[in-house]
Every structure is written in structure tokens, then in C-alpha cells.
Amino acid sequence: MSSLSRRIDLGRQAVSLRLEYMRRRRSARDPQAPADRLLRDGLVVVPDFFDAAQTAAMREAIPALEECQLSPEGTLTRFFSDAARIGELGAFFACDLVTDTMRSVLGPTAVMHRSTVQYRTVEGHTGAFEHFFHMDTWRPRYKAFLYLVDVTDDNGPFTYIPRTHYGRWRGRYDRDIARVFQAGADGYIHDDASAYVGCLWPHEQAALCARLRTRPRTVTGKAGTLILFDARGLHCIRPLVRAPRIILSSYWIRQGRHT
């Protein structure tokens, strides 16, 4: 496919997705339904989804830090892949609420593309893209995080800006991601251009929040806090003042539609 043909094809896909999710949001009217809240706001937080005993059992089952590999994406995170294969973690990775919600927002081809244990242990600013508000993709991609330790303002809370997962303002960023982003053979980022495409400077983020009448939501909470979010929306991880932050993460896409 020529470069022009590819741009035309991607443009058609983008318009189709924009219209599809506009219809989905308009039909999302149940404030209690996680899928409807996810479509409308881009973020769902469920405190105490697992109790202290359940999260303690999960922490006991996860691989030690030394068994995890360093992320190639420059974040200094260590992760363990295919964590869904660890039976004791099935309460999260095979959870009906997460699975049903992901299938509802993505449709019948929804698949769990990645399941990981993530350790963040490096304190301070690392210069990584994740400390800037950024969007992962222009295609539908949803993630579920489960805090395995208590997360406060000091140990890297997840922060999301509701209602930034859609809107005309995204056009230039979506085009840049489609044009620039290249995942490695392992599905991870291996170059700076791909890492930082989709990032906003702080002044851009502040101006956008004022324009959209929204503001960042920082998610602190006890171990057992569940977070579901649309990865098209702007999000970041705040630098750690105190380590560690340990989470389970699942990452859902439409089959064959990873950016």
C-alpha cells in the first residue's frame, strides 16, 4: 500500500471510529453501569474492589522484582509478562466485571492483549513520557489497573483527565500517532519518537482543561482499588516520592487492532 493510500485508509478508519463511539456515548445513559461510565467519562474507579486479604494473597503470588524485566520504554518500570497465567491472580485477570465491561465497550472481537505485574521503584522524575499527560492511541484501547499496595500522592498515583478520550481537538494528535508510532516486534516502544508522540506540554494540558471544562483526577486508594480507563484519554503517572508502587495491569484491544 502506498503512503497516500495508507493515509486515506487510516483517515476512513478514524472517521468510522469517531462516529461509532459518538453513537456509543449517546446511548450510555446508565450512571451505575461501568461500561456506560467508561464511554462517557473515560474513567471508572472502584475503591475496595478486592479486600485486604485478597490483595495480600495476590502480592504473595506475584514474581519477585528480580524476576521481572526492565521495560524497554524508558520508564524504568519492571514488569512480568503473561501474568494471567498465574492462577492466584485469576480473580483479577478473569474478573467478570472487567471482562464484561471490556467486551461491552470494544465489541465481540475484544481480547486481552497484555497482562502484567508492574513494579515502579525509581523515585523522582525519570524524564519518561509517562510523567507527561499523553494518549496511548487513536484506536479503541482500554486498560484495567489494580493497586496491590496502598497508593497515596507520594507513590505514583495514576492521573486521568475525564472526557479527553474524544473530541475534535484530538485530530492533530491522532494523525501524529498514526503517522509516527511504531511498536517493536514485542509490542513495546523502542524509540523516542514513538514514546513521546501524543504527549502534551503542561501549558497545553492546562489550556485544554480550561477549554473542555474538565480537570485531572488523581486516583489514590488502598490496595484493592480497581481502575478502568480509555487509553485514548489523557493520563499520566506522577513521579514517585516514595517507592514502591505495585499493580496488576490488563490491556484490551479489538483483535488485530493494536496501534
Side-chain angles (χ1 to χ4, degrees):
M1 181 181 293
S2 70
S3 176
L4 177 59
S5 297
R6 182 175 183 275
R7 288 200 302 272
I8 292 172
D9 180 58
L10 290 175
R12 287 172 176 165
Q13 290 182 44
V15 170
S16 177
L17 286 170
R18 193 155 51 240
L19 293 174
E20 175 192 348
Y21 277 90
M22 182 185 299
R23 292 190 294 268
R24 286 175 175 266
R25 286 192 302 276
R26 286 176 176 173
S27 66
R29 298 174 181 171
D30 183 352
Q32 303 305 315
D36 284 9
R37 290 161 56 198
L38 197 52
L39 286 165
R40 186 184 66 242
D41 297 327
L43 175 70
V44 174
V45 179
V46 186
D48 303 310
F49 187 69
F50 291 105
D51 63 29
Q54 290 172 305
T55 53
M58 291 182 192
R59 284 197 304 273
E60 286 292 318
I62 63 176
L65 177 65
E66 296 74 21
E67 298 177 50
C68 299
Q69 67 184 95
L70 185 65
S71 171
E73 299 186 337
T75 60
L76 302 181
T77 306
R78 289 196 174 272
F79 69 93
F80 185 87
S81 296
D82 297 325
R85 295 184 300 176
I86 301 173
E88 294 86 349
L89 305 183
F92 170 67
F93 288 115
C95 167
D96 286 342
L97 183 144
V98 174
T99 301
D100 292 347
T101 300
M102 296 306 185
R103 288 175 177 165
S104 179
V105 296
L106 283 166
T109 64
V111 293
M112 188 192 300
H113 182 69
R114 191 178 294 163
S115 62
T116 63
V117 177
Q118 294 183 13
Y119 285 88
R120 295 178 187 271
T121 61
V122 178
E123 297 174 357
H125 287 273
T126 64
F129 72 90
E130 65 179 2
H131 289 171
F132 295 89
F133 278 104
H134 65 279
M135 58 191 78
D136 287 3
T137 179
W138 61 276
R139 286 194 172 112
R141 179 190 299 178
Y142 292 84
K143 294 183 178 180
F145 287 173
L146 180 69
Y147 287 167
L148 288 188
V149 296
D150 295 348
V151 175
T152 70
D153 286 333
D154 288 343
N155 60 326
F158 175 76
T159 303
Y160 192 89
I161 306 181
R163 302 190 307 281
T164 56
H165 57 302
Y166 66 90
R168 290 185 178 179
W169 70 271
R170 296 179 51 91
R172 58 165 281 209
Y173 298 98
D174 288 342
R175 287 191 294 272
D176 280 351
I177 293 170
R179 179 176 57 86
V180 173
F181 184 88
Q182 295 290 331
D186 57 1
Y188 287 92
I189 298 168
H190 291 267
D191 66 283
D192 283 347
S194 293
Y196 287 92
V197 67
C199 288
L200 273 67
W201 291 111
H203 72 279
E204 293 177 309
Q205 171 260 313
L208 180 67
C209 284
R211 176 181 167 190
L212 299 181
R213 298 183 180 179
T214 186
R215 60 182 180 177
R217 178 179 175 184
T218 297
V219 183
T220 58
K222 295 187 296 185
T225 298
L226 175 69
I227 303 169
L228 309 177
F229 67 99
D230 186 329
R232 290 172 291 190
L234 292 171
H235 57 283
C236 70
I237 302 296
R238 286 169 49 181
L240 272 70
V241 177
R242 172 181 54 81
R245 191 196 78 164
I246 308 171
I247 69 169
L248 301 181
S249 171
S250 66
Y251 168 158
W252 295 72
I253 62 172
R254 287 178 171 170
Q255 191 168 23
R257 290 295 182 179
H258 182 259
T259 300

